[in-house]
Amino acid sequence: MKNIGILEPHFHIKYLYTTMRIFKTKETNVTVFTTKEIISRIQTYMKDLSAYDLVLKEESESMNSFLKRVKKICDDRIDLLFVNTIQFSSIRLPYFFRFNPKSKMILTVHMTNHWLKQKFAFGVKNIARVIDTNISIFLIRKIILPKFNAINVIYPPIKDFIEKNKNYKKQVFTLPFNFYDKTKNVEKSKKESKIRFLLPGLIETYRRNYGLALDVFQKLFEKYDKKISLYVLGKPVGKGGCRIIERCEKLKNKGYDISFSKGFIPEKDYDRISRESDIIFSPLNVVTKRDTGIIEIYGKTEGSALPFEAIQYCKPLIVPQEFIVINEMKSSTLKYKSIEDLENILIEVIENKNKLENLKKEAIKNSEKFSLEILQKYFKNEILDKFDIL
């Protein structure tokens, strides 16, 4: 029996749940190091946590003190520590300067170019942000990454990119953001016969082209008002997010079947709405440039929960042409090159019932390739055995 630890001090609730489920086998004990707020949200997905040892940060406890406790426990009994999130910030990174437990460690890297960038960043309008970015790059390169025995990414094409383009000499593993759980994917009959399109994720204009999406759906609503509904499933962020909500409200006021939220969506509601939907659509801005000045490419250098939302809920997927789709999902994914192309694809899905049903069947087949059992086997064979843990 070996002891596995998971450290999640910040966010990524769904990914913490995923790793907890993958790592807990007959041969392992799992200790979770996190906050009380995060663990309360985990219980939306898993009410009974008795199979796990929980070490929770107290509200009055500093991050430095919490990490000292984590280090002591790791030194005493943890064989492998899996660190889910370290924030890219010159303010947050120093918390991990003295964090160097005896156990072997794997870090999940969510933004490849931020964490494995070889050159410093320039050309950002905010000079303070330039300084913070470059200090972070230096700290990661010299202090943080050397502590870890390997890194993990959430999407296989990112691993391929790192191995071909980055000067990272240690092992790279890939554990997905979500997994397929057959026991939770019994499709319930919908009350209405409309095709429900789902547009998930935080409403941030740099992440997705909401203008394109709403332009297309405004046309579709005018023609197929009785046949379709759109659920914009995310919390608006910033002024850009609020402007998108204003556009959604205008469509709703015209009598169109569009649903949205102005605030946080509870996990239980998010889960129910996702299961009741027919197809996931995301107009990703595949190439993004944050205020750090560093460019990331969704599906290639930065992970996206999108493909694994489709896997978790067994749904077909519609994405831009340039988004890299793994081979296991190609038969249940539709790609568009332009706004006209997107409109034609959506019209075909609406008018051709067989097309949608075939996509749904393929989505179920493809999701089964990412079952919990398959991922646990990968964890044992590719990670624990490689590290000589079991």
Side-chain angles (χ1 to χ4, degrees):
M1 189 70 70
K2 293 298 178 178
N3 294 298
I4 311 301
I6 309 172
L7 172 61
E8 177 49 81
H10 301 301
F11 33 73
H12 287 129
I13 285 86
K14 270 196 174 181
Y15 196 52
L16 175 56
Y17 168 72
T18 296
T19 51
M20 286 171 67
R21 292 293 306 276
I22 292 173
F23 297 170
K24 187 70 186 83
T25 69
K26 294 178 180 179
E27 293 82 22
T28 60
N29 292 318
V30 177
T31 301
V32 181
F33 305 97
T34 189
T35 68
K36 292 181 179 179
E37 179 185 359
I38 289 174
I39 212 68
S40 68
R41 292 176 65 183
I42 284 288
Q43 289 182 298
T44 302
Y45 306 103
M46 183 168 44
K47 294 188 182 299
D48 184 7
L49 299 174
S50 60
Y52 301 88
D53 295 326
L54 303 180
V55 178
L56 305 181
K57 179 181 176 294
E58 299 293 333
E59 292 181 8
S60 60
E61 188 177 19
S62 69
M63 184 60 72
N64 283 327
S65 296
F66 176 60
L67 290 178
K68 283 182 181 178
R69 279 207 292 139
V70 175
K71 180 185 183 304
K72 186 177 186 307
I73 294 170
C74 288
D75 288 346
D76 289 342
R77 58 181 172 86
I78 299 299
D79 300 302
L80 175 63
L81 178 66
F82 198 94
V83 180
N84 274 11
T85 311
I86 297 179
Q87 287 182 289
F88 183 90
S89 164
S90 61
I91 297 174
R92 303 286 184 181
L93 289 169
Y95 293 143
F96 289 86
F97 281 5
R98 295 182 180 179
F99 185 71
N100 196 16
K102 297 175 183 177
S103 55
K104 294 181 179 179
M105 294 197 296
I106 298 175
L107 171 68
T108 295
V109 171
H110 298 274
M111 298 184 295
T112 301
N113 285 337
H114 279 70
W115 278 80
L116 300 178
K117 186 177 175 64
Q118 298 302 309
K119 298 179 180 178
F120 292 114
F122 297 98
V124 186
K125 294 180 181 179
N126 187 333
I127 188 64
R129 197 68 178 97
V130 174
I131 295 171
D132 181 78
T133 297
N134 288 326
I135 290 174
S136 298
I137 291 171
F138 177 81
L139 296 177
I140 287 168
R141 186 190 305 170
K142 298 296 183 181
I143 301 175
I144 305 298
L145 272 182
K147 296 175 183 284
F148 290 87
N149 302 91
I151 60 174
N152 170 66
V153 295
I154 67 172
Y155 197 52
I158 301 176
K159 176 181 178 180
D160 297 337
F161 177 82
I162 292 172
E163 291 178 342
K164 292 176 182 177
N165 299 280
K166 299 295 181 181
N167 188 30
Y168 185 75
K169 302 300 184 184
K170 298 178 183 178
Q171 290 175 292
V172 181
F173 301 110
T174 175
L175 287 166
F177 193 80
N178 283 332
F179 61 91
Y180 170 70
D181 187 346
K182 186 176 181 179
T183 63
K184 294 185 177 182
N185 276 283
V186 179
E187 187 171 345
K188 298 179 180 179
S189 59
K190 296 186 300 180
K191 295 179 181 179
E192 78 284 347
S193 59
K194 290 182 177 180
I195 298 172
R196 175 181 282 183
F197 292 91
L198 181 67
L199 202 171
L202 289 174
I203 304 174
E204 293 181 289
T205 52
Y206 84 87
R207 289 180 184 269
R208 280 167 281 274
N209 189 341
Y210 287 95
L212 176 146
L214 296 179
D215 286 346
V216 170
F217 270 92
Q218 183 167 348
K219 289 183 180 181
L220 295 176
F221 277 130
E222 292 170 358
K223 187 176 181 181
Y224 301 104
D225 181 28
K226 305 299 181 183
K227 293 185 176 181
I228 64 171
S229 64
L230 173 64
Y231 214 114
V232 182
L233 192 61
K235 172 187 174 181
V237 177
K239 293 180 180 179
C242 292
R243 285 194 294 269
I244 298 304
I245 291 297
E246 288 174 3
R247 281 202 64 182
C248 292
E249 286 180 323
K250 289 179 181 178
L251 291 173
K252 193 173 187 67
N253 290 337
K254 289 182 178 181
Y256 299 138
D257 193 354
I258 179 171
S259 300
F260 51 88
S261 175
K262 294 182 180 181
F264 171 75
I265 302 171
E267 277 82 2
K268 186 179 293 184
D269 294 336
Y270 191 102
D271 190 64
R272 173 184 55 79
I273 293 164
S274 298
R275 294 189 193 288
E276 292 175 353
S277 298
D278 293 290
I279 188 166
I280 296 176
F281 161 58
S282 188
L284 282 170
N285 292 321
V286 177
V287 180
T288 65
K289 188 174 183 179
R290 310 288 177 85
D291 59 355
T292 59
I294 299 176
I295 294 173
E296 297 287 357
I297 304 171
Y298 278 121
K300 185 176 181 180
T301 72
E302 180 174 0
S304 170
L306 180 65
F308 293 102
E309 294 250 321
I311 285 170
Q312 179 185 4
Y313 297 111
C314 297
K315 304 299 178 185
L317 186 62
I318 302 175
V319 290
Q321 178 68 36
E322 59 268 32
F323 183 81
I324 300 175
V325 175
I326 52 178
N327 292 331
E328 292 90 342
M329 295 185 67
K330 286 184 177 179
S331 64
S332 57
T333 302
L334 301 175
K335 288 187 169 188
Y336 65 89
K337 299 177 182 178
S338 63
I339 187 169
E340 294 81 9
D341 192 26
L342 173 60
E343 185 177 349
N344 290 333
I345 287 172
L346 293 172
I347 288 172
E348 185 180 8
V349 169
I350 295 167
E351 294 186 345
N352 188 342
K353 290 185 178 180
N354 290 333
K355 174 82 171 180
L356 181 56
E357 289 306 311
N358 288 334
L359 284 168
K360 285 183 175 182
K361 290 176 182 177
E362 288 299 313
I364 294 172
K365 291 179 185 177
N366 293 341
S367 291
E368 290 171 347
K369 301 168 188 174
F370 293 89
S371 69
L372 181 61
E373 293 75 20
I374 289 173
L375 295 177
Q376 286 179 330
K377 185 176 180 180
Y378 172 86
F379 175 61
K380 180 187 182 303
N381 294 341
E382 297 299 321
I383 298 180
L384 295 184
D385 286 356
K386 290 283 177 70
F387 275 169
D388 196 26
I389 297 296
L390 289 180

